[in-house]
Amino acid sequence: MAEAPQSNSTFSRPTFFILTGIPELGVAQAWLTLVFGPMYLLSLLGNGALLAVVEIDSTLHKPMFLLLATLAATDLGLATSIAPGLLAVLWLGPQPVPYVACLVQMFFVHALMAMESGALLAMACDRAVAVGRPLHYPVLVTKAHVGYAALALALKAVAVVVSFPLLVARFGHFRAKTIDHAYCAHMAVVDLVGGNTRASNLYGLALSLAMSGVDILGIMGSYGLIAHAVLRLPTQEARAKAFGTWSSHICVILAFHVPGLFSYLTRLFGRHTIPKPMHILLSNNYLLLPSALNPLIYGARTEQISDQLLETFAFRKSQF
């Protein structure tokens, strides 16, 4: 069913592409559903539960928890935009995807990635203000400000990412229909274009790196301020507790940004030295793993949310 790329011939824009997943693994790639399937299920249950708790408990309608809900909604959308197609390709083999549907998936995947990165930055800034300026926090961070921030993040993501499918739509000729990937990543689709794609490749990489780079610098600055404030706490116990929460948040941020930057850089500099299966596995893992871990680290380790979850389960158990 898969077509091999033909370097010396091109054809008009196809009506569909074929997603192959990780063809180098052959039938063994079906076993990866045992890894990505539970990740997706955990993402659905964890982020769904977090959103439900924040919605039900009016005491959680505060800036910090609303930012958590924004991150959970983004994680839910990002995982759902990738996982069903990924699992179908891994379990059933190469799958056709309509041309328009491929561009739509490309937009949502990259836009939600930008939203996730922005949400992590907003949460880091929120904690920096809460720890560094606790007396001014109620004035500086309000529910209205969180709403404006979420809207700004969405508009930024759309403005930056809408150019990805538009760049692909400009090309009228392709060398192949087969995408050696499990979803319609921008760079993977551009690789199929017949003609000079250097400008499109560099533009896509530059936008992705700039967007991630700005967010990473902002997050590093915010957590630097948090670390400075934590070191000034009066007791060792308070410092240890604060650093425990701080370090877990850093792990989530690193799990999202470091593999993402590695994926972008290997596309640019190491595409002939890094094995393609490793690149594809990494790109899928760094999109699904954080969405599965975030509810556990951000939600379960937040005392108010944990208490509300325990109350909900205890109430439902008492009804049976």
Side-chain angles (χ1 to χ4, degrees):
M1 190 174 182
E3 293 183 26
Q6 299 177 11
S7 57
N8 296 324
S9 64
T10 62
F11 49 84
S12 298
R13 181 180 300 159
T15 57
F16 65 92
F17 292 110
I18 298 172
L19 294 171
T20 62
I22 313 173
E24 290 86 348
L25 298 183
V27 295
Q29 72 174 348
W31 290 100
L32 291 174
T33 56
L34 299 178
V35 177
F36 292 116
M39 275 189 198
Y40 182 46
L41 182 61
L42 187 59
S43 177
L44 289 178
L45 294 176
N47 290 296
L50 198 154
L51 286 170
V53 166
V54 173
E55 171 65 26
I56 292 170
D57 190 348
S58 60
T59 63
L60 299 180
H61 294 178
K62 298 175 182 178
M64 183 181 75
F65 302 110
L66 294 177
L67 286 171
L68 275 174
T70 301
L71 180 66
T74 304
D75 282 333
L76 206 55
L78 183 57
T80 301
S81 66
I82 295 172
L86 166 66
L87 296 175
V89 170
L90 294 178
W91 186 255
L92 302 174
Q95 297 291 308
V97 55
Y99 175 83
V100 174
C102 187
L103 297 187
V104 170
Q105 185 189 45
M106 181 190 303
F107 170 77
F108 277 104
V109 168
H110 291 286
L112 289 167
M113 286 169 57
M115 275 287 292
E116 171 115 358
S117 180
L120 291 172
L121 172 59
M123 291 173 65
C125 292
D126 170 76
R127 291 299 85 201
V129 175
V131 174
R133 295 288 187 88
L135 297 178
H136 299 89
Y137 180 80
V139 177
L140 295 175
V141 184
T142 65
K143 289 194 289 185
H145 291 161
V146 171
Y148 294 144
L151 179 60
L153 290 175
L155 292 176
K156 183 197 78 169
V158 171
V160 171
V161 174
V162 72
S163 58
F164 286 3
L166 291 179
L167 282 171
V168 173
R170 288 178 59 247
F171 297 108
H173 293 83
F174 290 77
R175 294 179 293 104
K177 296 179 182 178
T178 302
I179 302 175
D180 290 333
H181 217 299
Y183 66 91
C184 292
H186 172 251
M187 302 298 291
V189 176
V190 170
D191 283 345
L192 306 182
V193 171
N196 187 357
T197 61
R198 183 178 179 81
S200 182
N201 279 325
L202 291 177
Y203 181 67
L205 281 168
L207 279 180
S208 299
L209 290 173
M211 184 168 54
S212 298
V214 170
D215 290 344
I216 288 173
L217 289 175
I219 289 169
M220 289 174 61
S222 297
Y223 278 104
L225 294 174
I226 292 172
H228 177 71
V230 168
L231 289 173
R232 296 168 59 189
L233 292 175
T235 65
Q236 183 69 26
E237 183 181 354
R239 288 195 294 270
K241 182 178 179 181
F243 269 119
T245 303
W246 179 77
S247 61
S248 65
H249 291 184
I250 288 292
C251 289
V252 170
I253 291 167
L254 291 177
F256 179 76
H257 280 292
V258 172
L261 286 173
F262 179 79
S263 179
Y264 291 136
L265 292 175
T266 54
R267 272 279 179 181
L268 186 60
F269 302 111
R271 60 190 309 168
H272 300 300
T273 57
I274 304 296
K276 184 174 285 188
M278 181 183 295
H279 178 81
I280 297 173
L281 275 173
L282 187 63
S283 65
N284 286 289
N285 189 67
Y286 92 82
L287 294 178
L288 287 176
L289 183 60
S291 68
L293 293 179
N294 286 348
L296 298 177
I297 295 178
Y298 283 112
R301 294 196 61 169
T302 302
E303 186 177 352
Q304 295 94 321
I305 292 179
S306 299
D307 291 344
Q308 180 60 37
L309 280 171
L310 291 174
E311 277 185 34
T312 301
F313 287 131
F315 174 74
R316 293 199 172 185
K317 186 176 179 180
S318 66
Q319 289 183 317
F320 293 98

